[in-house]
Amino acid sequence: MKKNIIKSIKGFKDILPDEIKYYKFFEDAIGKVSSQFAVEELRLPLIEKSDLFHRSIGDVTDIVTKEMYDFIDKSGASICLRPEGTASVVRAAIEHNLIYDRGLKKQKYWYYGPMFRHEKPQKGRYRQFSQFGAEYFGFSDTNSDVELLMMGDFLLKELNVENAKLHINSLGNMEDKERYEKIIFDHLSAKKNSLDEHQKDTLAKNPLRLLDSKNDNVKEILSNIPTLYETLSALSKNRFDMLMSKLDSLKINYILDNTIVRGLDYYNDTVFEWRHESLGSQNAICAGGRYDNLVNIIGGDDVPAIGFAMGVERIIEILKFNDNFKVKQNISIGIINDSSENEVYAHSVSKDLRYEFSGISFYNTDSSASLTSQLKNAIKINDKFVIVITDDNIKNKNLTIKVSENQMTDTLISLEDLIKYMRNKYE
């Protein structure tokens, strides 16, 4: 009779050994690029107070109303699994006086880890997903926008992600946003009968979100309204023009895209996304923008800020189909114990070798199996190098190695000479 097997929850995935190499490659890249840009790491809790995201993201957003994993804990407090990282970084920065303490501090931080949203699972999108994010605090001019965009560009190049396109836009200041929301509302209200219930609800609560609608009817209706750029105040327009001029000078390619509005209420002025066509309709792989009012909204002082978040699983989907993807393979060597009298000796040898060669994996095969079986296993691990330990080896204080240079024939060698040989071969 078949057992009732417990499986993982829908939208939550196990990361198996053959996929780990992509995550390690990603983690090495973010460590390198973050260091190049002198950005410090923060590590944040997975669980936060629900009010943090009600305040920051906005009560009418899909993330808060539909997707957030929130619940009441045993003390009666409303808590949640974090749905995004920026608000948590801001909370930590305020709580520990990292960005304002009797004056403004200019700081740059990065984070990496899992986020949680109850949404429809699809390619590169899960209910538990990982994000890398970078947040700059205290920088108000366009140089911070440029540097963050440059950092994202550097990281995608370090990851060998080709054909990612940077889309940018400006929401302007809060007054600009409100004015443009009214333009959208007035334009769509006249044709309300052609909207479905979800679109009507979005129109009432967050009209800007309709700009990035995938619905052909909505796109057609909004095609006749002026762009955000055309309605910006002089101050916001001059700021955005300066940013685009700097990007042009640095030869950072971009597309001015009126549909880039971002889904969270806290953004102002510069917003951006890197998109990759291989992922279909949900093709944003890195996105962010300015949020100069968020620190104040969460409970701090007025601190200008800008940041982005990169979807790790979406990047990995791209890497899996990248023919140029190469990761440095760790060297593994099998150690066979064919001694019936001294099983500890093989462990002693592998212990000494691990101390000498921290970058090499040594795999002790199953000593209860036959020599033939152990040899097959060791050759699967490395068909060019095998170490064998027999009773005769222990008696004579040497080892037997099989190496491809000698057509995998038995060669006797002392441990000291083996270490010298391996240093010449692998270092």
Side-chain angles (χ1 to χ4, degrees):
M1 189 171 107
K2 190 173 181 181
K3 291 182 180 179
N4 183 17
I5 299 171
I6 298 174
K7 295 185 178 180
S8 62
I9 301 168
K10 184 178 181 182
F12 292 77
K13 63 171 287 188
D14 299 307
I15 303 171
L16 303 180
D18 63 347
E19 201 175 22
I20 291 292
K21 64 183 178 183
Y22 297 104
Y23 283 86
K24 288 189 173 180
F25 178 71
F26 184 91
E27 289 156 9
D28 288 345
I30 62 176
K32 177 181 176 181
V33 172
S34 298
S35 177
Q36 285 180 306
F37 282 79
V39 184
E40 294 185 294
E41 183 182 7
L42 281 179
R43 298 195 181 187
L44 305 157
L46 300 184
I47 295 177
E48 296 274 11
K49 293 179 180 177
S50 301
D51 186 50
L52 173 64
F53 301 101
H54 283 275
R55 278 201 220 176
S56 60
I57 296 175
D59 286 328
V60 299
T61 59
D62 284 350
I63 292 175
V64 168
T65 59
K66 299 177 182 178
E67 299 168 3
M68 199 159 71
Y69 282 93
D70 53 350
F71 48 92
I72 304 299
D73 75 356
K74 291 183 179 180
S75 68
S78 178
I79 61 177
C80 68
L81 297 172
R82 63 185 186 194
E84 62 102 33
T86 299
S88 291
V89 174
V90 172
R91 190 267 312 148
I94 295 170
E95 185 173 341
H96 301 287
N97 296 321
L98 300 179
I99 54 176
Y100 201 97
D101 183 12
R102 296 183 297 277
L104 186 65
K105 297 179 181 179
K106 296 185 177 182
Q107 303 281 22
K108 303 174 185 180
Y109 296 111
W110 68 270
Y111 63 88
Y112 170 70
M115 310 292 162
F116 304 84
R117 294 183 195 175
H118 191 280
E119 55 185 341
K120 184 180 178 181
Q122 51 191 290
K123 186 177 182 180
R125 192 170 192 167
Y126 302 94
R127 289 174 177 172
Q128 177 180 323
F129 56 97
S130 300
Q131 282 188 342
F132 162 73
E135 315 289 351
Y136 282 25
F137 296 101
F139 301 89
S140 59
D141 63 19
T142 56
N143 290 329
S144 57
D145 303 39
V146 169
E147 183 174 307
L148 202 71
L149 290 168
M150 191 187 301
M151 182 181 180
D153 193 56
F154 261 65
L155 182 52
L156 290 171
K157 285 183 170 62
E158 183 69 24
L159 291 165
N160 297 319
V161 173
E162 299 174 345
N163 302 319
K165 291 182 170 59
L166 172 61
H167 294 243
I168 66 171
N169 198 13
S170 175
L171 301 175
N173 57 34
M174 290 304 168
E175 290 76 20
D176 293 336
K177 283 175 68 176
E178 290 172 5
R179 184 166 57 251
Y180 199 70
E181 283 178 342
K182 188 174 187 310
I183 291 172
I184 295 171
F185 184 84
D186 291 345
H187 199 76
L188 282 174
S189 292
K191 301 185 180 182
K192 216 169 185 178
N193 291 337
S194 65
L195 304 179
D196 61 29
E197 291 307 310
H198 176 71
Q199 290 158 0
K200 288 177 183 176
D201 187 56
T202 304
L203 178 63
K205 295 176 179 178
N206 195 351
L208 273 177
R209 283 311 312 268
L210 290 169
L211 282 178
D212 67 357
S213 172
K214 304 298 186 288
N215 182 274
D216 290 336
N217 177 49
V218 173
K219 287 195 284 188
E220 176 63 28
I221 295 171
L222 292 178
S223 64
N224 297 320
I225 67 171
T227 64
L228 264 162
Y229 178 77
E230 292 169 331
T231 64
L232 291 176
S233 59
L235 190 64
S236 295
K237 186 175 183 299
N238 289 339
R239 187 186 195 285
F240 194 52
D241 286 343
M242 187 181 298
L243 170 61
M244 290 191 289
S245 175
K246 290 177 179 179
L247 293 176
D248 291 337
S249 297
L250 291 165
K251 295 182 171 54
I252 296 176
N253 296 325
Y254 61 88
I255 298 167
L256 179 57
D257 187 342
N258 195 55
T259 69
I260 303 297
V261 292
R262 306 302 304 129
L264 310 181
D265 287 352
Y266 53 64
Y267 285 113
N268 63 275
D269 286 301
T270 308
V271 285
F272 55 88
E273 289 182 2
W274 274 274
R275 294 177 174 178
H276 202 280
E277 292 180 358
S278 69
L279 296 175
S281 60
Q282 298 292 337
N283 58 5
I285 57 175
C286 180
R290 292 205 70 84
Y291 50 92
D292 294 329
N293 300 304
L294 183 58
V295 177
N296 183 278
I297 290 168
I298 290 178
D301 294 274
D302 287 323
V303 177
I306 185 170
F308 69 64
M310 183 174 286
V312 181
E313 283 74 18
R314 295 189 185 186
I315 295 290
I316 286 172
E317 283 297 317
I318 296 168
L319 295 180
K320 285 178 181 178
F321 296 99
N322 184 348
D323 293 335
N324 296 320
F325 174 76
K326 288 184 177 65
V327 63
K328 185 179 179 182
Q329 295 295 323
N330 190 33
I331 298 164
S332 296
I333 297 172
I335 300 178
I336 295 172
N337 180 16
D338 191 41
S339 169
S340 58
E341 298 177 5
N342 190 340
E343 294 184 355
V344 175
Y345 189 78
H347 289 294
S348 176
V349 169
S350 62
K351 176 184 173 185
D352 289 342
L353 291 174
R354 287 180 184 120
Y355 275 125
E356 291 288 340
F357 302 99
S358 59
I360 297 177
S361 299
F362 294 94
Y363 186 99
N364 289 81
T365 58
D366 181 6
S367 60
S368 66
S370 68
L371 175 60
T372 302
S373 177
Q374 289 187 70
L375 189 56
K376 285 181 180 177
N377 192 4
I379 287 175
K380 282 182 183 177
I381 295 164
N382 187 335
D383 62 1
K384 295 179 176 61
F385 200 138
V386 175
I387 299 171
V388 182
I389 298 170
T390 66
D391 288 328
D392 284 342
N393 290 135
I394 297 170
K395 180 181 175 182
N396 297 315
K397 296 182 180 178
N398 59 23
L399 305 165
T400 299
I401 62 171
K402 295 174 178 286
V403 294
S404 56
E405 290 96 318
N406 290 340
Q407 288 73 50
M408 301 301 283
T409 57
D410 288 356
T411 303
L412 297 177
I413 190 171
S414 69
L415 178 60
E416 291 77 13
D417 286 340
L418 174 61
I419 289 170
K420 290 177 185 175
Y421 170 80
M422 290 179 62
R423 282 202 181 120
N424 290 330
K425 187 176 179 68
Y426 296 118
E427 291 186 351

